[in-house]
Coordinates of all heavy atoms in Angstrom, one line a residue:
K1 N 15.4 -19.3 -7.6 CA 16.6 -20.0 -8.1 C 16.9 -21.1 -7.3 O 17.3 -22.2 -7.8 CB 17.7 -18.9 -8.3 CG 17.5 -17.9 -9.3 CD 18.6 -16.9 -9.4 CE 18.5 -15.9 -10.5 NZ 19.6 -14.8 -10.4
F2 N 16.9 -20.9 -6.1 CA 17.4 -21.9 -5.0 C 16.4 -23.2 -5.1 O 16.8 -24.3 -5.1 CB 17.3 -21.3 -3.6 CG 17.5 -22.3 -2.5 CD1 18.7 -22.8 -2.2 CD2 16.4 -22.7 -1.7 CE1 18.9 -23.7 -1.2 CE2 16.6 -23.6 -0.7 CZ 17.8 -24.2 -0.5
L3 N 15.1 -22.9 -5.0 CA 14.1 -23.9 -5.0 C 14.0 -24.7 -6.4 O 13.6 -25.9 -6.4 CB 12.7 -23.5 -4.7 CG 12.6 -22.9 -3.3 CD1 11.3 -22.2 -3.0 CD2 12.6 -24.0 -2.3
K4 N 14.2 -24.0 -7.4 CA 14.2 -24.6 -8.8 C 15.1 -25.8 -8.9 O 14.7 -26.9 -9.6 CB 14.5 -23.6 -9.8 CG 14.2 -24.1 -11.4 CD 12.8 -24.3 -11.6 CE 12.6 -24.6 -13.0 NZ 11.1 -25.0 -13.3
E5 N 16.2 -25.9 -8.1 CA 17.0 -27.1 -8.1 C 16.6 -28.1 -7.4 O 17.3 -29.3 -7.3 CB 18.5 -26.6 -7.8 CG 19.1 -25.3 -8.6 CD 19.3 -25.8 -10.0 OE1 19.7 -26.9 -10.3 OE2 19.0 -25.0 -11.0
K6 N 15.6 -27.9 -6.5 CA 15.3 -28.9 -5.5 C 13.9 -29.5 -5.5 O 13.6 -30.5 -5.1 CB 15.4 -28.2 -4.1 CG 16.9 -27.8 -3.8 CD 17.0 -27.1 -2.4 CE 18.4 -26.7 -2.0 NZ 19.2 -27.9 -1.9
T7 N 13.0 -28.8 -6.2 CA 11.6 -29.2 -6.0 C 10.6 -28.6 -7.2 O 11.2 -27.6 -7.9 CB 10.9 -28.7 -4.7 OG1 9.6 -29.2 -4.5 CG2 10.9 -27.1 -4.6
F8 N 9.5 -29.1 -7.3 CA 8.5 -28.5 -8.2 C 8.0 -27.2 -7.6 O 7.8 -27.1 -6.4 CB 7.3 -29.4 -8.5 CG 7.6 -30.7 -9.2 CD1 7.3 -32.0 -8.6 CD2 8.1 -30.7 -10.5 CE1 7.5 -33.1 -9.3 CE2 8.3 -31.9 -11.1 CZ 8.2 -33.1 -10.5
I9 N 7.8 -26.2 -8.5 CA 7.3 -24.9 -8.0 C 6.0 -24.6 -8.7 O 6.0 -24.6 -10.0 CB 8.3 -23.8 -8.3 CG1 9.6 -24.1 -7.6 CG2 7.8 -22.5 -7.8 CD1 10.8 -23.0 -7.9
C10 N 5.0 -24.4 -7.9 CA 3.5 -24.1 -8.5 C 3.2 -22.6 -8.0 O 3.6 -22.2 -6.9 CB 2.5 -25.0 -7.9 SG 2.9 -26.7 -8.4
L11 N 2.4 -22.1 -8.9 CA 1.8 -20.9 -8.5 C 0.3 -21.1 -8.3 O -0.3 -21.7 -9.2 CB 2.0 -19.7 -9.5 CG 1.4 -18.3 -9.1 CD1 2.4 -17.7 -8.1 CD2 1.0 -17.4 -10.3
C12 N -0.3 -20.7 -7.2 CA -1.8 -20.8 -6.9 C -2.3 -19.5 -6.5 O -2.3 -19.2 -5.4 CB -2.1 -21.9 -5.9 SG -3.7 -22.4 -5.7
T13 N -3.0 -18.8 -7.5 CA -3.6 -17.5 -7.1 C -5.0 -17.4 -7.7 O -5.4 -18.0 -8.6 CB -2.8 -16.5 -7.9 OG1 -3.3 -15.2 -7.7 CG2 -2.5 -16.8 -9.4
N14 N -5.7 -16.5 -6.8 CA -7.1 -16.2 -7.3 C -7.2 -15.3 -8.4 O -8.3 -14.9 -8.9 CB -7.8 -15.7 -6.0 CG -8.2 -16.8 -5.0 OD1 -8.2 -17.9 -5.3 ND2 -8.6 -16.3 -3.8
K15 N -6.0 -14.7 -8.8 CA -6.0 -13.9 -10.0 C -6.4 -14.6 -11.2 O -6.0 -15.7 -11.4 CB -4.5 -13.2 -10.1 CG -4.4 -12.0 -11.0 CD -3.1 -11.4 -11.0 CE -2.6 -10.9 -9.8 NZ -3.2 -9.6 -9.5
K16 N -6.9 -14.0 -12.2 CA -7.1 -14.6 -13.5 C -6.0 -15.3 -14.1 O -4.8 -14.6 -14.0 CB -8.0 -13.6 -14.5 CG -9.4 -13.4 -14.1 CD -10.1 -12.7 -15.1 CE -11.5 -12.3 -14.7 NZ -12.4 -13.6 -14.6
Q17 N -6.1 -16.4 -14.7 CA -5.0 -17.2 -15.2 C -4.1 -16.2 -16.2 O -2.9 -16.3 -16.1 CB -5.5 -18.3 -16.1 CG -4.4 -19.3 -16.7 CD -3.7 -20.1 -15.7 OE1 -4.5 -20.5 -14.8 NE2 -2.5 -20.5 -15.9
F18 N -4.7 -15.6 -17.2 CA -4.0 -14.9 -18.1 C -3.2 -13.7 -17.5 O -2.1 -13.4 -17.9 CB -4.9 -14.3 -19.3 CG -5.6 -13.1 -19.0 CD1 -5.0 -11.8 -19.5 CD2 -6.8 -13.1 -18.5 CE1 -5.8 -10.6 -19.3 CE2 -7.5 -11.9 -18.2 CZ -7.0 -10.7 -18.6
L19 N -3.8 -13.1 -16.4 CA -3.1 -12.1 -15.7 C -1.9 -12.6 -14.9 O -0.9 -12.0 -14.9 CB -4.1 -11.4 -14.8 CG -5.1 -10.5 -15.4 CD1 -6.1 -9.9 -14.4 CD2 -4.4 -9.2 -16.1
A20 N -2.1 -13.8 -14.3 CA -1.0 -14.2 -13.6 C 0.1 -14.6 -14.5 O 1.3 -14.2 -14.1 CB -1.4 -15.6 -12.8
E21 N -0.1 -15.2 -15.7 CA 1.0 -15.5 -16.6 C 1.6 -14.2 -17.1 O 2.8 -14.2 -17.4 CB 0.5 -16.4 -17.7 CG -0.2 -17.8 -17.2 CD -0.4 -18.6 -18.3 OE1 0.1 -18.4 -19.5 OE2 -1.1 -19.7 -18.1
K22 N 0.9 -13.3 -17.4 CA 1.4 -12.0 -17.9 C 2.4 -11.3 -17.0 O 3.4 -10.9 -17.3 CB 0.2 -11.0 -18.3 CG 0.7 -9.7 -18.8 CD -0.6 -8.9 -19.0 CE -0.3 -7.3 -19.3 NZ 0.3 -7.3 -20.7
I23 N 1.9 -11.3 -15.6 CA 2.7 -10.6 -14.6 C 4.0 -11.5 -14.4 O 5.2 -10.8 -14.5 CB 2.0 -10.7 -13.3 CG1 0.9 -9.6 -13.5 CG2 2.9 -10.2 -12.1 CD1 -0.2 -9.6 -12.4
L24 N 4.0 -12.8 -14.4 CA 5.2 -13.5 -14.3 C 6.2 -13.3 -15.4 O 7.3 -13.3 -15.2 CB 4.8 -15.1 -14.1 CG 4.1 -15.4 -12.8 CD1 3.8 -17.0 -12.8 CD2 4.8 -15.0 -11.6
E25 N 5.6 -13.2 -16.6 CA 6.3 -13.1 -17.9 C 7.1 -11.7 -17.7 O 8.3 -11.5 -18.0 CB 5.5 -13.2 -19.1 CG 6.2 -13.1 -20.4 CD 7.0 -14.3 -20.7 OE1 6.5 -15.5 -20.6 OE2 8.1 -14.2 -21.1
E26 N 6.3 -10.7 -17.5 CA 6.8 -9.3 -17.4 C 7.8 -9.1 -16.3 O 8.7 -8.2 -16.5 CB 5.7 -8.3 -17.4 CG 4.8 -8.3 -18.7 CD 3.8 -7.3 -18.7 OE1 3.6 -6.5 -17.9 OE2 3.0 -7.2 -19.8
L27 N 7.7 -9.8 -15.2 CA 8.6 -9.7 -14.2 C 9.8 -10.6 -14.4 O 10.6 -10.7 -13.4 CB 7.9 -9.8 -12.8 CG 7.0 -8.8 -12.5 CD1 6.3 -9.1 -11.1 CD2 7.5 -7.4 -12.5
E28 N 9.8 -11.3 -15.4 CA 10.8 -12.3 -15.8 C 11.0 -13.4 -14.8 O 12.2 -13.8 -14.6 CB 12.1 -11.5 -16.0 CG 12.0 -10.5 -17.1 CD 13.2 -9.7 -17.4 OE1 14.2 -9.7 -16.5 OE2 13.3 -9.0 -18.4
I29 N 10.0 -14.0 -14.2 CA 10.2 -15.2 -13.4 C 9.3 -16.4 -13.7 O 9.2 -17.3 -13.1 CB 9.9 -14.7 -11.9 CG1 8.4 -14.3 -11.7 CG2 11.0 -13.9 -11.3 CD1 7.9 -14.1 -10.3
K30 N 8.6 -16.2 -14.9 CA 7.7 -17.3 -15.3 C 8.5 -18.6 -15.5 O 7.9 -19.7 -15.2 CB 7.0 -16.9 -16.7 CG 6.0 -17.9 -17.0 CD 5.2 -17.4 -18.4 CE 4.1 -18.4 -18.9 NZ 3.4 -17.9 -20.0
K31 N 9.7 -18.6 -15.9 CA 10.5 -19.8 -16.2 C 10.7 -20.7 -15.0 O 11.2 -21.8 -15.2 CB 11.9 -19.4 -16.8 CG 12.7 -18.5 -15.8 CD 13.9 -18.0 -16.6 CE 14.9 -17.2 -15.6 NZ 16.0 -16.6 -16.3
F32 N 10.6 -20.1 -13.8 CA 10.8 -21.0 -12.6 C 9.7 -21.7 -12.2 O 9.8 -22.7 -11.4 CB 11.2 -19.8 -11.4 CG 12.4 -19.1 -11.6 CD1 12.4 -17.9 -11.9 CD2 13.6 -19.8 -11.3 CE1 13.5 -17.0 -12.1 CE2 14.9 -19.1 -11.6 CZ 14.8 -17.7 -11.8
F33 N 8.6 -21.6 -12.9 CA 7.3 -22.3 -12.4 C 7.1 -23.5 -13.2 O 7.1 -23.4 -14.5 CB 6.1 -21.4 -12.4 CG 6.2 -20.3 -11.3 CD1 6.9 -19.1 -11.5 CD2 5.7 -20.5 -10.1 CE1 7.1 -18.1 -10.6 CE2 5.8 -19.6 -9.1 CZ 6.4 -18.4 -9.3
N34 N 6.7 -24.7 -12.6 CA 6.4 -25.9 -13.3 C 5.0 -25.9 -13.6 O 4.5 -26.6 -14.5 CB 6.8 -27.2 -12.4 CG 8.2 -27.2 -12.1 OD1 8.7 -26.8 -11.0 ND2 9.1 -27.6 -13.1
Y35 N 4.1 -25.1 -12.8 CA 2.7 -25.0 -12.9 C 2.1 -23.7 -12.5 O 2.5 -23.3 -11.3 CB 2.1 -26.3 -12.2 CG 0.6 -26.5 -12.4 CD1 -0.1 -26.4 -13.6 CD2 -0.2 -26.9 -11.3 CE1 -1.3 -26.5 -13.7 CE2 -1.6 -27.2 -11.4 CZ -2.1 -27.0 -12.7 OH -3.4 -27.3 -12.8
I36 N 1.5 -23.1 -13.4 CA 0.8 -21.8 -13.0 C -0.7 -22.0 -13.0 O -1.3 -22.3 -14.0 CB 1.2 -20.7 -14.0 CG1 2.8 -20.5 -14.0 CG2 0.5 -19.4 -13.7 CD1 3.3 -19.7 -15.2
L37 N -1.2 -21.8 -11.8 CA -2.7 -22.0 -11.6 C -3.4 -20.9 -11.2 O -3.3 -20.3 -10.1 CB -3.0 -23.1 -10.7 CG -4.5 -23.6 -10.4 CD1 -5.0 -24.1 -11.7 CD2 -4.5 -24.7 -9.4
G38 N -4.2 -20.1 -12.1 CA -5.0 -19.0 -11.7 C -6.6 -19.3 -11.8 O -6.8 -20.4 -12.2
S39 N -7.3 -18.2 -11.6 CA -8.7 -18.4 -11.8 C -9.1 -18.7 -13.3 O -8.7 -18.0 -14.1 CB -9.4 -17.1 -11.4 OG -10.9 -17.1 -11.7
D40 N -9.9 -19.8 -13.4 CA -10.4 -20.1 -14.7 C -12.0 -19.8 -14.9 O -12.5 -20.1 -15.9 CB -10.2 -21.5 -15.0 CG -10.8 -22.6 -14.0 OD1 -11.6 -22.1 -13.2 OD2 -10.4 -23.8 -14.1
G41 N -12.6 -19.2 -13.8 CA -14.0 -19.0 -13.8 C -14.8 -20.1 -13.6 O -16.0 -20.0 -13.5

């Protein structure tokens, strides 16, 4: 919440893309990220 007002927020994970997005969605924090980057194979 603090950083969202100040900067771009990215996620960079070795987890597969669809899993990263699913987890962020289910934990209700996906809205904070400007860019979500997971494994695309």
Side-chain angles (χ1 to χ4, degrees):
K1 289 178 179 177
F2 171 78
L3 291 171
K4 187 65 175 175
E5 303 298 319
K6 298 177 177 297
T7 184
F8 292 120
I9 303 178
C10 298
L11 185 81
C12 185
T13 175
N14 285 343
K15 194 182 291 292
K16 287 187 178 295
Q17 181 78 31
F18 83 95
L19 287 173
E21 294 190 19
K22 176 181 173 69
I23 290 168
L24 295 182
E25 185 73 48
E26 293 185 1
L27 295 180
E28 300 182 346
I29 59 170
K30 187 177 180 180
K31 62 186 178 183
F32 294 104
F33 292 87
N34 302 101
Y35 187 39
I36 299 168
L37 183 61
S39 169
D40 61 6

